PDB file of all heavy atoms in Angstrom:
ATOM      1  N   LYS A 201     -83.639  -8.032-167.400  1.00  0.00           N
ATOM      2  CA  LYS A 201     -82.309  -8.605-167.648  1.00  0.00           C
ATOM      3  C   LYS A 201     -82.179 -10.043-167.001  1.00  0.00           C
ATOM      4  O   LYS A 201     -81.524 -10.858-167.658  1.00  0.00           O
ATOM      5  CB  LYS A 201     -81.317  -7.566-166.839  1.00  0.00           C
ATOM      6  CG  LYS A 201     -79.819  -8.042-166.908  1.00  0.00           C
ATOM      7  CD  LYS A 201     -78.889  -7.010-166.250  1.00  0.00           C
ATOM      8  CE  LYS A 201     -77.694  -7.653-165.825  1.00  0.00           C
ATOM      9  NZ  LYS A 201     -77.440  -7.710-164.390  1.00  0.00           N
ATOM     10  N   LEU A 202     -82.609 -10.212-165.836  1.00  0.00           N
ATOM     11  CA  LEU A 202     -82.465 -11.494-165.192  1.00  0.00           C
ATOM     12  C   LEU A 202     -83.210 -12.604-165.975  1.00  0.00           C
ATOM     13  O   LEU A 202     -82.712 -13.601-166.190  1.00  0.00           O
ATOM     14  CB  LEU A 202     -83.023 -11.513-163.730  1.00  0.00           C
ATOM     15  CG  LEU A 202     -82.095 -10.683-162.898  1.00  0.00           C
ATOM     16  CD1 LEU A 202     -82.781 -10.344-161.482  1.00  0.00           C
ATOM     17  CD2 LEU A 202     -80.762 -11.401-162.549  1.00  0.00           C
ATOM     18  N   VAL A 203     -84.476 -12.315-166.429  1.00  0.00           N
ATOM     19  CA  VAL A 203     -85.285 -13.354-167.141  1.00  0.00           C
ATOM     20  C   VAL A 203     -84.604 -13.552-168.383  1.00  0.00           C
ATOM     21  O   VAL A 203     -84.507 -14.728-168.942  1.00  0.00           O
ATOM     22  CB  VAL A 203     -86.657 -12.883-167.257  1.00  0.00           C
ATOM     23  CG1 VAL A 203     -87.491 -13.909-168.149  1.00  0.00           C
ATOM     24  CG2 VAL A 203     -87.349 -12.662-165.953  1.00  0.00           C
ATOM     25  N   MET A 204     -84.186 -12.582-169.149  1.00  0.00           N
ATOM     26  CA  MET A 204     -83.589 -12.732-170.495  1.00  0.00           C
ATOM     27  C   MET A 204     -82.180 -13.616-170.297  1.00  0.00           C
ATOM     28  O   MET A 204     -81.963 -14.382-171.206  1.00  0.00           O
ATOM     29  CB  MET A 204     -83.297 -11.484-171.170  1.00  0.00           C
ATOM     30  CG  MET A 204     -84.563 -10.720-171.676  1.00  0.00           C
ATOM     31  SD  MET A 204     -84.199  -9.297-172.699  1.00  0.00           S
ATOM     32  CE  MET A 204     -85.798  -8.676-172.748  1.00  0.00           C
ATOM     33  N   ALA A 205     -81.371 -13.272-169.250  1.00  0.00           N
ATOM     34  CA  ALA A 205     -80.283 -13.996-169.033  1.00  0.00           C
ATOM     35  C   ALA A 205     -80.652 -15.576-168.870  1.00  0.00           C
ATOM     36  O   ALA A 205     -79.828 -16.445-169.523  1.00  0.00           O
ATOM     37  CB  ALA A 205     -79.518 -13.455-167.906  1.00  0.00           C
ATOM     38  N   ALA A 206     -81.611 -15.928-168.137  1.00  0.00           N
ATOM     39  CA  ALA A 206     -81.899 -17.187-167.926  1.00  0.00           C
ATOM     40  C   ALA A 206     -82.484 -17.917-169.166  1.00  0.00           C
ATOM     41  O   ALA A 206     -82.132 -18.959-169.505  1.00  0.00           O
ATOM     42  CB  ALA A 206     -83.021 -17.301-166.807  1.00  0.00           C
ATOM     43  N   MET A 209     -79.556 -18.635-171.533  1.00  0.00           N
ATOM     44  CA  MET A 209     -78.536 -19.609-170.997  1.00  0.00           C
ATOM     45  C   MET A 209     -79.118 -21.021-170.687  1.00  0.00           C
ATOM     46  O   MET A 209     -78.405 -21.875-170.387  1.00  0.00           O
ATOM     47  CB  MET A 209     -77.769 -19.085-169.796  1.00  0.00           C
ATOM     48  CG  MET A 209     -76.817 -17.924-170.175  1.00  0.00           C
ATOM     49  SD  MET A 209     -75.484 -17.828-168.926  1.00  0.00           S
ATOM     50  CE  MET A 209     -76.534 -17.292-167.469  1.00  0.00           C
ATOM     51  N   LEU A 215     -73.326 -23.862-167.239  1.00  0.00           N
ATOM     52  CA  LEU A 215     -73.213 -22.328-167.105  1.00  0.00           C
ATOM     53  C   LEU A 215     -71.715 -21.950-166.947  1.00  0.00           C
ATOM     54  O   LEU A 215     -71.045 -22.465-166.292  1.00  0.00           O
ATOM     55  CB  LEU A 215     -74.118 -21.910-165.938  1.00  0.00           C
ATOM     56  CG  LEU A 215     -75.545 -22.157-165.803  1.00  0.00           C
ATOM     57  CD1 LEU A 215     -76.202 -21.382-164.704  1.00  0.00           C
ATOM     58  CD2 LEU A 215     -76.145 -21.719-167.148  1.00  0.00           C
ATOM     59  N   THR A 219     -70.995 -16.867-163.731  1.00  0.00           N
ATOM     60  CA  THR A 219     -72.342 -16.453-163.682  1.00  0.00           C
ATOM     61  C   THR A 219     -72.810 -15.948-162.301  1.00  0.00           C
ATOM     62  O   THR A 219     -72.450 -16.576-161.256  1.00  0.00           O
ATOM     63  CB  THR A 219     -73.280 -17.654-164.125  1.00  0.00           C
ATOM     64  OG1 THR A 219     -72.802 -18.120-165.280  1.00  0.00           O
ATOM     65  CG2 THR A 219     -74.726 -17.169-164.233  1.00  0.00           C
ATOM     66  N   GLN A 220     -73.431 -14.808-162.310  1.00  0.00           N
ATOM     67  CA  GLN A 220     -73.971 -14.158-161.062  1.00  0.00           C
ATOM     68  C   GLN A 220     -74.769 -15.155-160.329  1.00  0.00           C
ATOM     69  O   GLN A 220     -75.559 -15.934-160.941  1.00  0.00           O
ATOM     70  CB  GLN A 220     -74.783 -12.976-161.328  1.00  0.00           C
ATOM     71  CG  GLN A 220     -73.924 -11.600-161.645  1.00  0.00           C
ATOM     72  CD  GLN A 220     -75.044 -10.584-161.874  1.00  0.00           C
ATOM     73  OE1 GLN A 220     -76.142 -10.469-161.573  1.00  0.00           O
ATOM     74  NE2 GLN A 220     -74.529  -9.654-162.860  1.00  0.00           N
ATOM     75  N   PRO A 221     -74.659 -15.301-158.941  1.00  0.00           N
ATOM     76  CA  PRO A 221     -75.385 -16.160-158.190  1.00  0.00           C
ATOM     77  C   PRO A 221     -76.939 -16.216-158.417  1.00  0.00           C
ATOM     78  O   PRO A 221     -77.562 -17.253-158.606  1.00  0.00           O
ATOM     79  CB  PRO A 221     -75.115 -15.932-156.724  1.00  0.00           C
ATOM     80  CG  PRO A 221     -73.706 -15.157-156.853  1.00  0.00           C
ATOM     81  CD  PRO A 221     -73.737 -14.457-158.162  1.00  0.00           C
ATOM     82  N   LEU A 222     -77.542 -14.999-158.564  1.00  0.00           N
ATOM     83  CA  LEU A 222     -78.952 -14.937-158.800  1.00  0.00           C
ATOM     84  C   LEU A 222     -79.376 -15.442-160.121  1.00  0.00           C
ATOM     85  O   LEU A 222     -80.340 -16.161-160.402  1.00  0.00           O
ATOM     86  CB  LEU A 222     -79.558 -13.516-158.452  1.00  0.00           C
ATOM     87  CG  LEU A 222     -81.118 -13.357-158.674  1.00  0.00           C
ATOM     88  CD1 LEU A 222     -81.804 -14.441-157.687  1.00  0.00           C
ATOM     89  CD2 LEU A 222     -81.454 -11.943-158.502  1.00  0.00           C
ATOM     90  N   ILE A 223     -78.596 -15.077-161.146  1.00  0.00           N
ATOM     91  CA  ILE A 223     -78.820 -15.609-162.493  1.00  0.00           C
ATOM     92  C   ILE A 223     -78.684 -17.090-162.614  1.00  0.00           C
ATOM     93  O   ILE A 223     -79.446 -17.804-163.263  1.00  0.00           O
ATOM     94  CB  ILE A 223     -77.919 -14.984-163.463  1.00  0.00           C
ATOM     95  CG1 ILE A 223     -78.219 -13.412-163.751  1.00  0.00           C
ATOM     96  CG2 ILE A 223     -78.084 -15.508-164.818  1.00  0.00           C
ATOM     97  CD1 ILE A 223     -77.405 -12.623-164.550  1.00  0.00           C
ATOM     98  N   ALA A 224     -77.624 -17.586-161.896  1.00  0.00           N
ATOM     99  CA  ALA A 224     -77.454 -19.078-161.962  1.00  0.00           C
ATOM    100  C   ALA A 224     -78.495 -19.816-161.150  1.00  0.00           C
ATOM    101  O   ALA A 224     -79.048 -20.741-161.694  1.00  0.00           O
ATOM    102  CB  ALA A 224     -76.088 -19.315-161.172  1.00  0.00           C
ATOM    103  N   ARG A 225     -79.088 -19.225-160.036  1.00  0.00           N
ATOM    104  CA  ARG A 225     -80.243 -19.833-159.475  1.00  0.00           C
ATOM    105  C   ARG A 225     -81.423 -19.948-160.243  1.00  0.00           C
ATOM    106  O   ARG A 225     -82.068 -21.026-160.390  1.00  0.00           O
ATOM    107  CB  ARG A 225     -80.453 -19.045-158.205  1.00  0.00           C
ATOM    108  CG  ARG A 225     -81.557 -19.426-157.223  1.00  0.00           C
ATOM    109  CD  ARG A 225     -81.638 -18.802-155.998  1.00  0.00           C
ATOM    110  NE  ARG A 225     -81.044 -19.547-154.931  1.00  0.00           N
ATOM    111  CZ  ARG A 225     -81.609 -19.724-153.742  1.00  0.00           C
ATOM    112  NH1 ARG A 225     -82.755 -19.133-153.540  1.00  0.00           N
ATOM    113  NH2 ARG A 225     -81.010 -20.412-152.935  1.00  0.00           N
ATOM    114  N   ILE A 226     -81.752 -18.859-160.839  1.00  0.00           N
ATOM    115  CA  ILE A 226     -82.935 -18.744-161.767  1.00  0.00           C
ATOM    116  C   ILE A 226     -82.822 -19.763-162.959  1.00  0.00           C
ATOM    117  O   ILE A 226     -83.746 -20.509-163.303  1.00  0.00           O
ATOM    118  CB  ILE A 226     -83.177 -17.371-162.393  1.00  0.00           C
ATOM    119  CG1 ILE A 226     -83.472 -16.361-161.110  1.00  0.00           C
ATOM    120  CG2 ILE A 226     -84.434 -17.295-163.209  1.00  0.00           C
ATOM    121  CD1 ILE A 226     -83.333 -14.842-161.634  1.00  0.00           C
ATOM    122  N   THR A 227     -81.670 -19.612-163.550  1.00  0.00           N
ATOM    123  CA  THR A 227     -81.403 -20.482-164.777  1.00  0.00           C
ATOM    124  C   THR A 227     -81.391 -22.036-164.313  1.00  0.00           C
ATOM    125  O   THR A 227     -81.976 -22.840-165.064  1.00  0.00           O
ATOM    126  CB  THR A 227     -80.086 -20.190-165.424  1.00  0.00           C
ATOM    127  OG1 THR A 227     -79.981 -18.711-165.641  1.00  0.00           O
ATOM    128  CG2 THR A 227     -79.933 -20.857-166.757  1.00  0.00           C
ATOM    129  N   ASN A 228     -80.908 -22.420-163.250  1.00  0.00           N
ATOM    130  CA  ASN A 228     -80.865 -23.638-162.720  1.00  0.00           C
ATOM    131  C   ASN A 228     -82.245 -24.232-162.356  1.00  0.00           C
ATOM    132  O   ASN A 228     -82.542 -25.417-162.578  1.00  0.00           O
ATOM    133  CB  ASN A 228     -79.923 -23.875-161.623  1.00  0.00           C
ATOM    134  CG  ASN A 228     -78.494 -23.885-161.873  1.00  0.00           C
ATOM    135  OD1 ASN A 228     -78.149 -24.314-163.051  1.00  0.00           O
ATOM    136  ND2 ASN A 228     -77.507 -23.428-161.110  1.00  0.00           N
ATOM    137  N   VAL A 229     -83.100 -23.393-161.915  1.00  0.00           N
ATOM    138  CA  VAL A 229     -84.545 -23.799-161.692  1.00  0.00           C
ATOM    139  C   VAL A 229     -85.110 -24.163-163.056  1.00  0.00           C
ATOM    140  O   VAL A 229     -85.730 -25.253-163.192  1.00  0.00           O
ATOM    141  CB  VAL A 229     -85.419 -22.621-161.002  1.00  0.00           C
ATOM    142  CG1 VAL A 229     -86.887 -23.041-161.110  1.00  0.00           C
ATOM    143  CG2 VAL A 229     -84.967 -22.480-159.627  1.00  0.00           C
TER     144      VAL A 229
END
Side-chain angles (χ1 to χ4, degrees):
K201 180 179 153 244
L202 290 166
V203 172
M204 285 185 197
M209 292 202 294
L215 297 190
T219 305
Q220 279 178 31
L222 182 56
I223 294 179
R225 176 174 261 229
I226 300 165
T227 311
N228 283 332
V229 167

